[in-house]
Amino acid sequence: QAQLVESGGGLVQAGGSLRLSCAVSGLTFGAYTMGWFRQAPGKEREFVAWVRRNGITTYYAEAVKGRFTASRDSAKNTVYLQMNSLKLEDTAVYYCAASSSFGSRFPGAYDYWGQGTQVTVSS
């Protein structure tokens, strides 16, 4: 069955950087748009970014545009989220997800999810 495993989270100071990875198995990686979402305590899960099957077309939430970059490596069946200039409000559990759509901001459009990785930004 499909398995998505995130890694790379941790504790970082404001202004710092982290790169999240999501290793995908059990599905045809090239057939899915890959998305990133996050959920902070007491808040709903929110969209962060997606990257299409071609690995070129991307879309970002306004809150992260210009700071985060989503990419994918088809040879490794892995999707990445490079996060720069991190802010306190970026603190959340980050999830990767796979969608058979062309790309969506809505969690309901995603068929498979990882277990999440914690990102904590400190002052």
Side-chain angles (χ1 to χ4, degrees):
Q1 67 274 18
Q3 192 171 16
L4 286 67
V5 180
E6 301 95 336
S7 60
L11 176 64
V12 62
Q13 284 193 325
S17 298
L18 279 176
R19 189 176 82 153
L20 306 183
S21 300
C22 173
V24 179
S25 61
L27 55 79
T28 304
F29 184 67
Y32 290 85
T33 293
M34 297 303 299
W36 287 97
F37 290 77
R38 66 187 182 186
Q39 188 166 18
K43 295 189 176 182
E44 292 187 352
R45 191 168 297 190
E46 66 171 352
F47 167 76
V48 174
W50 54 249
V51 52
R52 273 192 191 152
R53 303 156 202 180
N54 60 14
I56 299 172
T57 307
T58 55
Y59 182 77
Y60 299 92
E62 283 298 321
V64 306
K65 196 175 293 184
R67 300 188 298 121
F68 290 12
T69 303
S71 61
R72 61 194 291 164
D73 186 335
S74 295
K76 296 181 178 180
N77 280 11
T78 300
V79 61
Y80 303 98
L81 185 68
Q82 178 67 45
M83 306 186 295
N84 299 329
S85 302
L86 282 161
K87 304 176 180 180
L88 296 179
E89 52 265 40
D90 294 320
T91 295
V93 177
Y94 283 71
Y95 300 88
C96 69
S99 173
S100 54
S101 74
F102 285 109
S104 174
R105 299 167 54 245
F106 301 101
Y110 289 78
D111 306 296
Y112 304 101
W113 291 83
Q115 82 290 348
T117 186
Q118 176 71 46
V119 171
T120 303
V121 184
S122 65
S123 59

